[in-house]
């Protein structure tokens, strides 16, 4: 189906020297962190597309989680459940990637238009072998995008589809005239939709066709040629990118196909305890598993650095962007859930993964201009979990909400000198952070303390800026695997943070153990 690199081997070796303090020790041992924010040297924009969400026809990610149908007793608007849509609107979700994932390279768009009762029922061969009714197709997806107030990122079928099928889908979606536009109008939508992003297949190295890099790059060139936007509009084309550290894939794609592309993707999942297939539990883990997981989250820094360096070679002007359009934690699916549905609980540990990644992306925002966590609802590291008419927001959701000021903010460079947190064979920087000047003009600082047992004192110098006061919010909990359930939905959520103050022009923060803190300076 798709292959995955093993992730755990020699993990300590994978940590770059820059990640670790030279004074590595068994734990943070009370050693504080010092940092400097260079507010007078603003960096690139932290594009709001960094908060893109991924919604695949997988498990209950679409059916049940988003779509319940117009006749459902669950309150809905044109079939999409109001509670979930409202929560996603609150997050200001900028972009939604659909319909996959692996599903995309077997998806035939014509099966998802026209009267729903006449659409073919297919088998979802990747995810549980369940039936796929094609109830949610192009029109329904764009209705979801409209309701959430997001933009569309549609992934096309290179795997078992033709360039003509792909070109016609793009025309059906975007064209103001012609027979495909007329057909769209007959199906209920006379106006063309805006589709700023289009994926040229997905994981062509695996479930998308098990292709070699050279073949995939040639196909990407060919298929991209026929993706055309009507005059006055733009569809940015994103190539199916590398799996983890397959640098040859990025090299080949850039060398062969860059001229036809606007972006190249990268997929990287955190797979604790030995890698593929995912088997580590989402809850009930010990501190070693905590450290293993967060060390793997930090690996994103190394991966993005190296893939970006390859892109720099072929695209020094940085015209193309790196879209990390699948990332997050992949655990064993929860006991009692349908095989192949990738349903997993989401804990405080996932909140740390989210914050660490969002902080890493700030450092690379000149090249990483889109990222999509996997996935939006009920699948993998989800924002939201549902069961029937019940819904709960996960710790990951709350981190995304806390980081909203990062959307289209300006990155402020930050240097951090932090002790190493280690447990057993695993080691990572105790404190991760990023800073931005928000569109509100204020400085916002995000910090995560990976040490699950010790608070960390952080002193932050502000170069080129002055602040009088600071307010903040924190996510933490007693247990590393604290999570929200339908019975106890508020177990992990943001609380007012009183552990920061301005002293002598410096920002002083006492980060609780295992916490994410977001601060606003005045
Ligand atoms: O997100 C689940 C799956 O992970 C996606 O379908 C695929 O692209 C990746 O292997």
């Amino acid at each position: 189906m798709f292959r995955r690199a093993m992730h755990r081997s020699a993990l300590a070796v994978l940590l770059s020297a820059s990640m670790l303090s030279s004074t590595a020790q068994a734990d943070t041992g009370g050693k504080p962190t010092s940092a400097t924010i260079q507010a007078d040297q603003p960096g690139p924009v932290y594009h709001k597309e960094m908060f893109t969400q991924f919604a695949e026809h997988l498990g209950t990610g679409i059916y049940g989680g988003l779509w319940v149908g117009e006749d459902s007793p669950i309150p809905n608007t044109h079939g999409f459940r109001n509670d979930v849509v409202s929560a996603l609107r609150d997050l200001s979700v900028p972009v939604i990637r659909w319909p996959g994932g692996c599903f995309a390279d077997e998806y035939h768009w014509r099966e998802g238009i026209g009267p729903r009762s006449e659409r073919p029922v297919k088998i979802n061969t990747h995810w549980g072998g369940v039936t796929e009714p094609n109830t949610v197709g192009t029109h329904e997806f764009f209705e979801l995008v409209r309701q959430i107030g997001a933009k569309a990122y549609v992934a096309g079928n290179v795997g078992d589809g033709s360039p003509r099928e792909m070109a016609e889908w793009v025309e059906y979606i975007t064209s103001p005239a012609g027979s495909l536009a007329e057909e769209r109008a007959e199906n209920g939508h006379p106006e063309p939709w805006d589709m700023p992003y289009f994926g040229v297949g997905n994981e062509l190295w695996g479930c998308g066709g098990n292709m070699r890099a050279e073949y995939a790059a040639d196909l990407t060139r060919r298929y991209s040629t026929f993706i055309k936007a009507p005059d006055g509009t733009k569809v940015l084309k994103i190539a199916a990118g590398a799996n983890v550290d397959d640098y040859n894939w990025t090299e080949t794609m850039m060398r062969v196909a860059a001229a036809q592309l606007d972006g190249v993707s990268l997929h990287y999942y955190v797979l604790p305890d030995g890698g593929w297939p995912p088997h580590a539990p989402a809850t009930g883990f010990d501190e070693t598993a905590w450290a293993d997981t967060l060390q793997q989250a930090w690996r994103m820094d190394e991966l993005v650095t190296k893939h970006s360096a390859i892109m720099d070679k072929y695209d020094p002007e940085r015209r193309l962007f790196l879209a990390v359009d699948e990332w997050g934690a992949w655990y064993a699916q929860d006991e009692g859930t349908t095989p192949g549905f990738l349903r997993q609980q989401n804990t405080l540990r996932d909140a740390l993964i989210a914050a660490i990644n969002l902080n890493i992306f700030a450092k690379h925002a000149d090249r990483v201009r889109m990222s999509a966590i996997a996935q939006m609802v009920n699948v993998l590291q989800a924002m939201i979990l549902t069961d029937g008419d019940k819904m709960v927001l996960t710790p990951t959701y709350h981190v995304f909400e806390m980081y909203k000021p990062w959307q289209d903010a300006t990155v402020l460079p930050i240097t951090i000198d932090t002790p190493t947190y280690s447990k057993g064979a695993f080691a990572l920087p105790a404190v991760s952070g990023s800073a931005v000047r928000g569109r509100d003009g204020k400085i916002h600082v995000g910090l995560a303390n990976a040490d699950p047992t010790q608070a960390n004192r952080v002193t932050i110098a502000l170069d080129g800026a002055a602040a009088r006061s600071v307010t903040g919010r924190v996510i933490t909990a007693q247990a590393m695997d604290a999570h929200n359930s339908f019975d106890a939905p508020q177990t992990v959520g943001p609380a007012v943070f009183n552990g920061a103050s301005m002293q002598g022009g410096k920002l002083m923060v006492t980060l609780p153990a295992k916490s994410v803190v977001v601060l606003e300076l005045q």
Side-chain angles (χ1 to χ4, degrees), residues 170-216:
V170 173
E171 185 179 330
Y172 182 88
I173 291 170
T174 60
S175 182
S179 353
L180 285 168
E182 281 166 24
E183 188 180 356
R184 187 189 63 231
E186 280 160 23
N187 287 329
H189 207 276
E191 291 304 313
W193 289 291
D194 183 31
M195 182 176 60
Y197 304 101
F198 193 84
V200 191
N202 169 74
E203 297 198 347
L204 297 181
W205 42 263
C207 62
N210 282 309
M211 300 174 196
R212 295 172 306 108
E214 289 75 12
Y215 182 63

Side-chain angles (χ1 to χ4, degrees), residues 4 54 56 58 101-102 127 202-203 269 326 330 375 380:
R4 279 275 159 225
F54 173 32
E56 180 169 11
L58 194 179
C102 291
W127 307 118
N202 169 74
E203 297 198 347
Y269 287 96
E326 287 188 31
W330 195 327
Q375 297 194 9
L380 299 177

Side-chain angles (χ1 to χ4, degrees), residues 276-439:
W276 195 259
H279 55 272
T283 57
F285 50 82
D286 61 15
E287 191 185 334
T288 304
W290 165 278
D292 175 3
T293 307
L294 297 188
Q295 177 181 288
Q296 288 194 39
W298 258 101
R299 193 182 175 202
M300 182 66 85
D301 189 35
E302 173 197 326
L303 294 172
V304 169
T305 302
K306 292 186 175 172
H307 284 287
S308 297
I310 294 166
M311 292 180 77
D312 285 349
K313 210 166 106 185
Y314 295 93
D315 175 34
E317 304 299 318
R318 302 196 171 157
R319 182 183 69 78
L320 275 73
F321 57 93
L322 182 61
V324 188
D325 60 14
E326 287 188 31
W327 64 270
W330 195 327
Y331 308 121
Q333 62 179 69
D334 291 346
E335 264 178 46
T337 58
T338 310
F341 275 24
L342 313 187
R343 164 85 170 212
Q344 64 189 40
Q345 188 47 272
N346 193 293
T347 70
L348 179 63
R349 178 175 62 171
D350 297 284
L352 269 288
I353 293 173
I356 288 168
N357 275 285
L358 294 175
N359 291 337
I360 289 170
F361 294 146
K363 185 173 151 197
H364 300 281
D366 52 354
R367 181 64 86 176
V368 181
R369 304 203 282 270
M370 172 187 277
S371 98
I373 191 168
Q375 297 194 9
M376 192 154 79
V377 186
N378 289 337
V379 177
L380 299 177
Q381 190 175 341
M383 299 285 127
I384 293 173
L385 298 174
T386 68
D387 184 13
D389 63 354
K390 291 175 283 195
M391 177 194 88
V392 71
L393 306 179
T394 66
T396 299
Y397 175 100
H398 291 303
V399 169
F400 270 55
E401 190 277 320
M402 289 164 71
Y403 272 73
K404 267 172 72 175
W406 272 244
Q407 294 201 13
D408 282 341
T410 301
V411 174
L412 300 179
I414 182 169
T415 51
I416 303 178
D417 181 11
T418 186
T420 299
Y421 156 64
S422 65
K423 179 71 183 173
F426 305 105
L428 61 147
V431 171
S432 130
S434 65
V436 293
R437 188 174 293 281
R439 286 164 58 83

